[in-house]
Amino acid sequence: HHLVGPFHPARELPLAAMDTVSWNVFRLLADFLHLAGMSFGLAAILSSRSVAGFSRKTQVLFQVVFVSRYLDIFTQHQGLYLLFFKITFNLITAFMLWLFHKLHHSYEASADSCNLLALVVPPAIIALFSGGMGVREEAWTFSELLEPLALIPQYIVCYRATKVRPAAVIYVLAVGGYRTLYVCNWIYKRYVWHGAYHDYTSWIGGALECIIFADFLVRISQRKEVIGAIGASPLGRIILQIDDSAGRFSEKVELRTFGRRIPFGLSGPGSQDDENKKKQWDVSDKLVDEEECQLLTLSGDGDNGTF
């Protein structure tokens, strides 16, 4: 955080008073809620041996966020509290990604359709030209800009799913909700330190994340049951439309530039994927029609034999 201006907490307040403000109850609750949400998601996957309902792309984004943000563990002395959370967040996320590989048969790739490049590239460009003092500060700026977008693939999975997994919803409520407590933490520090404290990058990212999370929360609260198709709110439908458009735009650019799509679905589905889905639906509809015809034929034979 940047502490500048005529009132400098490090000069005007005793160290104990600074610690009380920095380590306030909002920040502590936020950290433990974040940890609880991640642990719950991991436990849900382990207990069910299934990653259904969870987004692998969200875990990829969180891994990028944690690695780029916590580079200071190699260059600066860390207290036990910070060291524990920084290492634990990285390890849990890495373990989640390994489980996606191990339990790939339960992974819903078609629902996890988010264009990762569209989320990663803009924050990277902004961070590169942010005027940071060295790689570590630019990496921190990049992580602060990327984190608000990290849950978007998970939101898309929930919006596209015909049956939403309750464990995935609880995971989103905890991992997304922790940020609202961090906003309270920022407001409290601003109230105490006034103009001496500002962190505009975090504030902008946190506000964006809270808006998207609040929209998801309102949509969930409108349902009597969590299980079932959540659908999408107006903001959610905008996100889905942008997701579809980004995938098709990336497809055109990649085919013209490389002659093929970027592998691993990093740039999302395109028109070819839509055609494949339509073919699968057509085949399914044809099989259903044939089965219905067979059932009607058998029923008719039975009727003829009766009379």
Side-chain angles (χ1 to χ4, degrees), residues 157-174:
V157 168
C158 291
Y159 288 144
R160 292 194 187 281
T162 56
K163 187 174 182 180
V164 179
R165 185 174 177 179
V169 175
I170 295 173
Y171 168 81
V172 171
L173 294 179

Side-chain angles (χ1 to χ4, degrees), residues 4 10 27 32 48 53 71 84 103 109 118 126 132 140 160 162 185 192 209 230 248 258 266 276 286 306:
V4 296
R27 176 176 179 175
F32 282 100
S48 64
L71 292 174
F84 167 76
L103 306 173
I126 295 173
W140 179 87
R160 292 194 187 281
T162 56
N185 159 60
V192 174
E209 188 172 1
I230 288 183
R248 294 189 179 93
F258 309 111
L266 294 178
N276 291 337
K286 185 177 180 180
T306 302

Side-chain angles (χ1 to χ4, degrees), residues 1-5 7 9 140 186 189-190 193-203:
H1 303 298
H2 305 289
L3 302 174
V4 296
F7 173 71
W140 179 87
W186 297 329
K189 289 197 289 188
R190 178 73 175 187
W193 287 338
H194 305 289
Y197 165 72
H198 63 80
D199 187 358
Y200 299 120
T201 303
S202 297
W203 295 351

Side-chain angles (χ1 to χ4, degrees), residues 102-124:
K102 189 72 173 178
L103 306 173
H104 61 88
H105 60 279
S106 61
Y107 174 55
E108 302 168 353
S110 59
D112 200 6
S113 60
C114 186
N115 188 323
L116 281 185
L117 296 181
L119 298 182
V120 173
V121 173

Side-chain angles (χ1 to χ4, degrees), residues 61-240:
L61 292 177
F62 275 133
Q63 190 74 83
V64 172
V65 167
F66 296 143
V67 169
S68 58
R69 180 175 300 172
Y70 300 146
L71 292 174
D72 59 352
I73 64 174
F74 301 106
T75 59
Q76 294 181 351
H77 173 73
Q78 305 286 318
L80 185 60
Y81 179 93
L82 290 176
L83 195 62
F84 167 76
F85 275 93
K86 291 178 179 182
I87 293 177
T88 302
F89 285 168
N90 271 290
L91 290 179
I92 290 178
T93 308
F95 193 20
M96 289 275 281
L97 287 172
W98 181 81
L99 287 175
F100 271 94
H101 170 72
K102 189 72 173 178
L103 306 173
H104 61 88
H105 60 279
S106 61
Y107 174 55
E108 302 168 353
S110 59
D112 200 6
S113 60
C114 186
N115 188 323
L116 281 185
L117 296 181
L119 298 182
V120 173
V121 173
I125 294 175
I126 295 173
L128 186 63
F129 294 97
S130 63
M133 302 296 291
V135 174
R136 188 171 63 83
E137 188 169 334
E138 291 175 350
W140 179 87
T141 301
F142 168 67
S143 72
E144 287 291 316
L145 295 173
L146 181 62
E147 185 179 9
L149 310 177
L151 269 177
I152 287 180
Q154 183 64 61
Y155 291 136
I156 290 175
V157 168
C158 291
Y159 288 144
R160 292 194 187 281
T162 56
K163 187 174 182 180
V164 179
R165 185 174 177 179
V169 175
I170 295 173
Y171 168 81
V172 171
L173 294 179
V175 175
Y178 103 92
R179 200 67 166 172
T180 60
L181 290 172
Y182 252 88
V183 170
C184 296
N185 159 60
W186 297 329
I187 293 174
Y188 174 72
K189 289 197 289 188
R190 178 73 175 187
Y191 171 77
V192 174
W193 287 338
H194 305 289
Y197 165 72
H198 63 80
D199 187 358
Y200 299 120
T201 303
S202 297
W203 295 351
I204 294 172
L208 175 61
E209 188 172 1
C210 286
I211 291 172
I212 301 175
F213 173 73
D215 178 74
F216 180 81
L217 192 63
V218 169
R219 185 66 189 92
I220 290 293
S221 66
Q222 293 174 347
R223 292 183 48 82
K224 294 181 180 179
E225 298 178 359
V226 174
I227 299 177
I230 288 183
S233 60
L235 180 57
R237 286 193 290 270
I238 293 174
I239 292 175
L240 292 178

Side-chain angles (χ1 to χ4, degrees), residues 7-24:
F7 173 71
H8 199 300
R11 297 172 185 169
E12 303 290 339
L13 292 176
L15 183 61
M18 281 193 63
D19 288 342
T20 302
V21 175
S22 296
W23 298 96
N24 57 75

